[in-house]
Amino acid sequence: MKYLVKTFFLTGAILMASCSSQQSLQEYYVDNSENPNFIALDVPASILKLNEGSLSASQKEAVESLRKFNMLAFKKTAGNVAEYRAEKAKVKEILKDEEFVELMKINSQYGKGVIKYLGDEDAIDEVIIYGDSKDMGFALVRVLGKNMNPAHIVQLMQALQHSEYDGADLGEIGKFLKG
């Protein structure tokens, strides 16, 4: 009986120790979706309104692999600088996790960012685009799909550059992303 009790407690201790105390990206989205400093939006991939007649076969395949976008943006103001820094640090800590594979870094006149993904190289389930600006804040975009691959991301970017989509359907977050 003693052995059974010891085994039970040892198993419980191992299970508790193995649970990650770090917040997941999904939990971060949920926790901050109602925060007034954040703008949150979930949109279907169909909102992009791409003219399929003008897409190449590989671009069509890229668009078909998309399901939806989750967007979360922190709008920085003079009154929330400390919270901006704290939230930015939380996001960067979450994105340091080994499960996120870095695809590319972004450094532009608007700010810095990174594109990472979750899943296998040939079957990506989620792409995370993070960017921040000292003046405006930061944005996190989760691109959810099925069996995406890095080439799909490049093809999608090319298709978006040639699309007529102006971001009007995104409301507040569209204005934020435009600057």
Side-chain angles (χ1 to χ4, degrees):
M1 181 71 174
K2 264 185 165 178
Y3 178 74
L4 183 61
V5 172
K6 285 182 182 180
T7 304
F8 176 74
F9 282 115
L10 180 61
T11 304
I14 291 171
L15 285 174
M16 288 180 66
S18 67
C19 292
S20 173
S21 62
Q22 182 175 338
Q23 187 177 35
S24 74
L25 193 59
Q26 176 65 30
E27 290 169 338
Y28 185 81
Y29 267 83
V30 172
D31 290 350
N32 290 293
S33 64
E34 300 296 321
N35 182 327
N37 288 315
F38 284 90
I39 302 166
L41 191 62
D42 292 334
V43 294
S46 61
I47 197 169
L48 296 177
K49 299 177 185 172
L50 297 171
N51 179 357
E52 293 199 22
S54 66
L55 298 178
S56 69
S58 57
Q59 289 173 332
K60 283 181 186 177
E61 185 180 345
V63 170
E64 289 169 4
S65 71
L66 300 176
R67 289 184 312 157
K68 69 177 181 174
F69 301 92
N70 299 128
M71 300 178 201
L72 186 68
F74 186 99
K75 184 138 176 106
K76 184 179 173 187
T77 64
N80 67 8
V81 174
E83 187 176 356
Y84 162 74
R85 287 184 184 135
E87 295 300 328
K88 182 176 152 182
K90 283 181 192 177
V91 171
K92 286 190 171 192
E93 188 61 34
I94 292 169
L95 294 177
K96 280 184 186 177
D97 194 310
E98 291 178 6
E99 72 177 341
F100 297 104
V101 179
E102 189 171 305
L103 191 58
M104 71 175 66
K105 288 187 180 197
I106 303 166
N107 195 2
S108 74
Q109 64 188 25
Y110 304 109
K112 295 181 179 183
V114 66
I115 299 176
K116 295 188 173 204
Y117 68 87
L118 290 171
D120 297 324
E121 191 173 305
D122 297 332
I124 296 172
D125 296 319
E126 183 175 338
V127 174
I128 297 94
I129 304 167
Y130 168 80
D132 63 60
S133 164
K134 293 179 201 172
D135 302 325
M136 296 187 59
F138 67 82
L140 258 173
V141 180
R142 294 174 67 214
V143 181
L144 304 171
K146 185 173 181 175
N147 295 327
M148 296 183 290
N149 65 45
H152 283 156
I153 305 306
V154 173
Q155 294 295 327
L156 181 63
M157 299 284 209
Q158 290 173 348
L160 286 172
Q161 288 175 341
H162 300 295
S163 77
E164 295 176 11
Y165 185 66
D166 62 2
D169 296 331
L170 297 178
E172 256 188 273
I173 206 162
K175 292 176 194 169
F176 174 82
L177 293 172
K178 284 184 175 182

Short mmCIF file of all heavy atoms in Angstrom, two decimals, residues 2-39:
data_model
loop_
_atom_site.label_atom_id
_atom_site.label_comp_id
_atom_site.label_asym_id
_atom_site.label_seq_id
_atom_site.Cartn_x
_atom_site.Cartn_y
_atom_site.Cartn_z
N LYS A 2 1.96 1.22 0.80
CA LYS A 2 2.88 2.37 0.84
C LYS A 2 3.44 2.65 -0.55
O LYS A 2 3.55 3.79 -0.97
CB LYS A 2 4.05 2.09 1.79
CG LYS A 2 3.89 2.61 3.15
CD LYS A 2 5.20 2.32 3.88
CE LYS A 2 5.29 3.11 5.14
NZ LYS A 2 6.50 2.82 5.87
N TYR A 3 3.80 1.58 -1.26
CA TYR A 3 4.37 1.71 -2.59
C TYR A 3 3.36 2.36 -3.54
O TYR A 3 3.72 3.22 -4.34
CB TYR A 3 4.79 0.32 -3.11
CG TYR A 3 5.35 0.36 -4.50
CD1 TYR A 3 6.62 0.86 -4.73
CD2 TYR A 3 4.60 -0.09 -5.58
CE1 TYR A 3 7.14 0.91 -6.02
CE2 TYR A 3 5.11 -0.05 -6.86
CZ TYR A 3 6.38 0.45 -7.07
OH TYR A 3 6.89 0.50 -8.34
N LEU A 4 2.09 1.98 -3.42
CA LEU A 4 1.04 2.53 -4.28
C LEU A 4 0.85 4.03 -4.01
O LEU A 4 0.72 4.82 -4.94
CB LEU A 4 -0.28 1.78 -4.04
CG LEU A 4 -1.45 2.18 -4.91
CD1 LEU A 4 -1.14 1.94 -6.38
CD2 LEU A 4 -2.69 1.40 -4.52
N VAL A 5 0.87 4.44 -2.76
CA VAL A 5 0.70 5.84 -2.40
C VAL A 5 1.90 6.66 -2.90
O VAL A 5 1.73 7.74 -3.48
CB VAL A 5 0.53 6.00 -0.86
CG1 VAL A 5 0.55 7.46 -0.45
CG2 VAL A 5 -0.78 5.35 -0.42
N LYS A 6 3.12 6.16 -2.70
CA LYS A 6 4.32 6.84 -3.18
C LYS A 6 4.29 7.00 -4.70
O LYS A 6 4.63 8.05 -5.24
CB LYS A 6 5.59 6.10 -2.74
CG LYS A 6 5.93 6.27 -1.30
CD LYS A 6 7.21 5.54 -0.97
CE LYS A 6 7.55 5.67 0.50
NZ LYS A 6 8.77 4.97 0.84
N THR A 7 3.89 5.95 -5.39
CA THR A 7 3.81 5.99 -6.85
C THR A 7 2.79 7.02 -7.30
O THR A 7 3.03 7.78 -8.24
CB THR A 7 3.44 4.60 -7.41
OG1 THR A 7 4.38 3.65 -6.95
CG2 THR A 7 3.39 4.60 -8.92
N PHE A 8 1.65 7.07 -6.62
CA PHE A 8 0.60 8.03 -6.95
C PHE A 8 1.12 9.47 -6.79
O PHE A 8 0.94 10.31 -7.68
CB PHE A 8 -0.63 7.80 -6.05
CG PHE A 8 -1.71 8.80 -6.26
CD1 PHE A 8 -2.51 8.77 -7.39
CD2 PHE A 8 -1.93 9.81 -5.33
CE1 PHE A 8 -3.51 9.70 -7.58
CE2 PHE A 8 -2.92 10.75 -5.52
CZ PHE A 8 -3.73 10.69 -6.65
N PHE A 9 1.76 9.77 -5.67
CA PHE A 9 2.28 11.13 -5.44
C PHE A 9 3.42 11.48 -6.40
O PHE A 9 3.52 12.61 -6.87
CB PHE A 9 2.72 11.30 -3.98
CG PHE A 9 1.57 11.51 -3.05
CD1 PHE A 9 1.28 10.58 -2.08
CD2 PHE A 9 0.76 12.65 -3.17
CE1 PHE A 9 0.20 10.76 -1.23
CE2 PHE A 9 -0.31 12.84 -2.32
CZ PHE A 9 -0.60 11.89 -1.35
N LEU A 10 4.26 10.53 -6.68
CA LEU A 10 5.36 10.77 -7.61
C LEU A 10 4.81 11.07 -9.01
O LEU A 10 5.26 12.00 -9.68
CB LEU A 10 6.30 9.56 -7.66
CG LEU A 10 7.51 9.68 -8.59
CD1 LEU A 10 8.39 10.86 -8.15
CD2 LEU A 10 8.32 8.41 -8.59
N THR A 11 3.83 10.31 -9.45
CA THR A 11 3.20 10.54 -10.75
C THR A 11 2.55 11.92 -10.79
O THR A 11 2.68 12.66 -11.77
CB THR A 11 2.16 9.45 -11.06
OG1 THR A 11 2.79 8.18 -10.99
CG2 THR A 11 1.53 9.66 -12.42
N GLY A 12 1.84 12.28 -9.72
CA GLY A 12 1.21 13.61 -9.65
C GLY A 12 2.23 14.73 -9.71
O GLY A 12 2.03 15.74 -10.39
N ALA A 13 3.34 14.56 -9.00
CA ALA A 13 4.39 15.58 -9.00
C ALA A 13 5.01 15.74 -10.38
O ALA A 13 5.28 16.86 -10.84
CB ALA A 13 5.47 15.23 -7.97
N ILE A 14 5.22 14.64 -11.07
CA ILE A 14 5.79 14.69 -12.42
C ILE A 14 4.83 15.38 -13.37
O ILE A 14 5.23 16.22 -14.18
CB ILE A 14 6.16 13.27 -12.92
CG1 ILE A 14 7.34 12.72 -12.13
CG2 ILE A 14 6.45 13.27 -14.41
CD1 ILE A 14 7.65 11.27 -12.37
N LEU A 15 3.55 15.06 -13.27
CA LEU A 15 2.56 15.70 -14.14
C LEU A 15 2.48 17.20 -13.90
O LEU A 15 2.40 17.99 -14.83
CB LEU A 15 1.18 15.07 -13.94
CG LEU A 15 0.98 13.69 -14.55
CD1 LEU A 15 -0.37 13.12 -14.15
CD2 LEU A 15 1.09 13.75 -16.05
N MET A 16 2.52 17.60 -12.64
CA MET A 16 2.45 19.03 -12.33
C MET A 16 3.70 19.76 -12.81
O MET A 16 3.63 20.88 -13.30
CB MET A 16 2.25 19.25 -10.83
CG MET A 16 0.83 18.86 -10.40
SD MET A 16 0.56 19.10 -8.66
CE MET A 16 0.68 20.86 -8.52
N ALA A 17 4.85 19.12 -12.68
CA ALA A 17 6.10 19.75 -13.12
C ALA A 17 6.18 19.85 -14.63
O ALA A 17 6.79 20.77 -15.17
CB ALA A 17 7.30 18.96 -12.58
N SER A 18 5.54 18.91 -15.32
CA SER A 18 5.63 18.93 -16.78
C SER A 18 4.69 19.95 -17.42
O SER A 18 4.82 20.26 -18.59
CB SER A 18 5.34 17.54 -17.35
OG SER A 18 3.99 17.19 -17.12
N CYS A 19 3.72 20.45 -16.68
CA CYS A 19 2.80 21.45 -17.23
C CYS A 19 3.55 22.76 -17.42
O CYS A 19 4.24 23.22 -16.53
CB CYS A 19 1.62 21.67 -16.30
SG CYS A 19 0.53 20.25 -16.19
N SER A 20 3.38 23.34 -18.57
CA SER A 20 4.08 24.58 -18.88
C SER A 20 3.40 25.75 -18.18
O SER A 20 2.19 25.89 -18.22
CB SER A 20 4.07 24.82 -20.38
OG SER A 20 4.60 26.07 -20.68
N SER A 21 4.18 26.57 -17.53
CA SER A 21 3.63 27.76 -16.88
C SER A 21 3.58 28.94 -17.85
O SER A 21 2.99 29.95 -17.55
CB SER A 21 4.46 28.11 -15.65
OG SER A 21 5.77 28.43 -16.05
N GLN A 22 4.20 28.80 -19.00
CA GLN A 22 4.20 29.87 -19.99
C GLN A 22 2.87 29.91 -20.72
O GLN A 22 2.32 28.90 -21.10
CB GLN A 22 5.33 29.68 -21.00
CG GLN A 22 5.39 30.82 -22.00
CD GLN A 22 6.58 30.70 -22.93
OE1 GLN A 22 7.55 30.05 -22.62
NE2 GLN A 22 6.49 31.35 -24.07
N GLN A 23 2.39 31.11 -20.90
CA GLN A 23 1.14 31.32 -21.60
C GLN A 23 1.29 30.98 -23.08
O GLN A 23 2.30 31.30 -23.69
CB GLN A 23 0.76 32.79 -21.42
CG GLN A 23 -0.58 33.18 -21.95
CD GLN A 23 -0.90 34.64 -21.67
OE1 GLN A 23 -0.02 35.49 -21.68
NE2 GLN A 23 -2.15 34.92 -21.41
N SER A 24 0.28 30.35 -23.66
CA SER A 24 0.33 30.04 -25.09
C SER A 24 -0.13 31.28 -25.87
O SER A 24 -0.75 32.19 -25.32
CB SER A 24 -0.58 28.85 -25.41
OG SER A 24 -1.94 29.25 -25.36
N LEU A 25 0.15 31.27 -27.15
CA LEU A 25 -0.27 32.37 -28.01
C LEU A 25 -1.79 32.46 -28.06
O LEU A 25 -2.36 33.56 -28.00
CB LEU A 25 0.32 32.20 -29.41
CG LEU A 25 0.24 33.39 -30.33
CD1 LEU A 25 0.96 34.60 -29.74
CD2 LEU A 25 0.84 33.06 -31.68
N GLN A 26 -2.45 31.32 -28.13
CA GLN A 26 -3.92 31.30 -28.14
C GLN A 26 -4.47 31.90 -26.85
O GLN A 26 -5.40 32.69 -26.87
CB GLN A 26 -4.42 29.87 -28.33
CG GLN A 26 -5.93 29.72 -28.27
CD GLN A 26 -6.65 30.42 -29.40
OE1 GLN A 26 -6.14 30.56 -30.48
NE2 GLN A 26 -7.86 30.88 -29.14
N GLU A 27 -3.90 31.53 -25.71
CA GLU A 27 -4.34 32.08 -24.42
C GLU A 27 -4.11 33.59 -24.39
O GLU A 27 -4.95 34.34 -23.87
CB GLU A 27 -3.58 31.42 -23.26
CG GLU A 27 -3.97 29.98 -23.03
CD GLU A 27 -3.02 29.27 -22.08
OE1 GLU A 27 -1.86 29.70 -21.90
OE2 GLU A 27 -3.45 28.25 -21.52
N TYR A 28 -3.00 34.04 -24.95
CA TYR A 28 -2.70 35.47 -24.99
C TYR A 28 -3.77 36.22 -25.78
O TYR A 28 -4.25 37.26 -25.37
CB TYR A 28 -1.31 35.72 -25.57
CG TYR A 28 -0.90 37.17 -25.51
CD1 TYR A 28 -0.39 37.71 -24.33
CD2 TYR A 28 -1.07 38.00 -26.60
CE1 TYR A 28 -0.05 39.05 -24.25
CE2 TYR A 28 -0.72 39.35 -26.53
CZ TYR A 28 -0.22 39.86 -25.35
OH TYR A 28 0.11 41.19 -25.27
N TYR A 29 -4.15 35.67 -26.93
CA TYR A 29 -5.21 36.28 -27.75
C TYR A 29 -6.50 36.38 -26.95
O TYR A 29 -7.14 37.43 -26.90
CB TYR A 29 -5.47 35.44 -29.00
CG TYR A 29 -4.68 35.88 -30.21
CD1 TYR A 29 -3.38 35.47 -30.40
CD2 TYR A 29 -5.25 36.70 -31.16
CE1 TYR A 29 -2.66 35.84 -31.51
CE2 TYR A 29 -4.54 37.09 -32.28
CZ TYR A 29 -3.25 36.66 -32.45
OH TYR A 29 -2.53 37.04 -33.54
N VAL A 30 -6.91 35.27 -26.33
CA VAL A 30 -8.16 35.24 -25.58
C VAL A 30 -8.11 36.21 -24.40
O VAL A 30 -9.05 36.98 -24.18
CB VAL A 30 -8.47 33.80 -25.10
CG1 VAL A 30 -9.65 33.78 -24.15
CG2 VAL A 30 -8.72 32.90 -26.30
N ASP A 31 -7.01 36.20 -23.65
CA ASP A 31 -6.88 37.06 -22.47
C ASP A 31 -6.94 38.54 -22.81
O ASP A 31 -7.38 39.35 -22.00
CB ASP A 31 -5.57 36.77 -21.72
CG ASP A 31 -5.58 35.42 -21.04
OD1 ASP A 31 -6.65 34.78 -20.97
OD2 ASP A 31 -4.50 34.98 -20.60
N ASN A 32 -6.50 38.93 -24.00
CA ASN A 32 -6.41 40.34 -24.34
C ASN A 32 -7.46 40.83 -25.34
O ASN A 32 -7.48 42.01 -25.67
CB ASN A 32 -5.01 40.67 -24.87
CG ASN A 32 -4.00 40.60 -23.76
OD1 ASN A 32 -4.01 41.40 -22.84
ND2 ASN A 32 -3.12 39.61 -23.82
N SER A 33 -8.33 39.96 -25.77
CA SER A 33 -9.32 40.36 -26.78
C SER A 33 -10.30 41.42 -26.25
O SER A 33 -10.85 42.18 -27.03
CB SER A 33 -10.07 39.14 -27.31
OG SER A 33 -10.80 38.53 -26.27
N GLU A 34 -10.49 41.49 -24.95
CA GLU A 34 -11.41 42.48 -24.37
C GLU A 34 -10.67 43.68 -23.77
O GLU A 34 -11.30 44.61 -23.28
CB GLU A 34 -12.28 41.83 -23.29
CG GLU A 34 -13.15 40.68 -23.80
CD GLU A 34 -14.18 41.14 -24.82
OE1 GLU A 34 -14.75 42.22 -24.66
OE2 GLU A 34 -14.41 40.38 -25.79
N ASN A 35 -9.35 43.66 -23.79
CA ASN A 35 -8.55 44.75 -23.24
C ASN A 35 -8.73 45.99 -24.13
O ASN A 35 -8.55 45.90 -25.34
CB ASN A 35 -7.08 44.31 -23.19
CG ASN A 35 -6.15 45.35 -22.57
OD1 ASN A 35 -6.35 46.55 -22.70
ND2 ASN A 35 -5.12 44.86 -21.91
N PRO A 36 -9.06 47.15 -23.55
CA PRO A 36 -9.30 48.34 -24.37
C PRO A 36 -8.08 48.85 -25.14
O PRO A 36 -8.23 49.61 -26.10
CB PRO A 36 -9.80 49.38 -23.37
CG PRO A 36 -9.40 48.88 -22.03
CD PRO A 36 -9.28 47.40 -22.14
N ASN A 37 -6.89 48.45 -24.74
CA ASN A 37 -5.67 48.86 -25.46
C ASN A 37 -5.45 48.02 -26.72
O ASN A 37 -4.58 48.35 -27.52
CB ASN A 37 -4.44 48.76 -24.56
CG ASN A 37 -4.41 49.84 -23.52
OD1 ASN A 37 -4.67 51.00 -23.80
ND2 ASN A 37 -4.12 49.47 -22.28
N PHE A 38 -6.19 46.94 -26.85
CA PHE A 38 -6.03 46.04 -27.98
C PHE A 38 -7.21 46.16 -28.94
O PHE A 38 -8.33 46.44 -28.55
CB PHE A 38 -5.95 44.58 -27.52
CG PHE A 38 -4.64 44.20 -26.92
CD1 PHE A 38 -4.41 44.35 -25.56
CD2 PHE A 38 -3.62 43.67 -27.70
CE1 PHE A 38 -3.20 43.99 -25.00
CE2 PHE A 38 -2.41 43.31 -27.15
CZ PHE A 38 -2.20 43.46 -25.80
N ILE A 39 -6.91 45.90 -30.20
CA ILE A 39 -7.93 45.77 -31.23
C ILE A 39 -7.83 44.31 -31.68
O ILE A 39 -6.76 43.85 -32.06
CB ILE A 39 -7.63 46.70 -32.43
CG1 ILE A 39 -7.54 48.15 -31.97
CG2 ILE A 39 -8.69 46.53 -33.50
CD1 ILE A 39 -6.91 49.07 -33.01
#
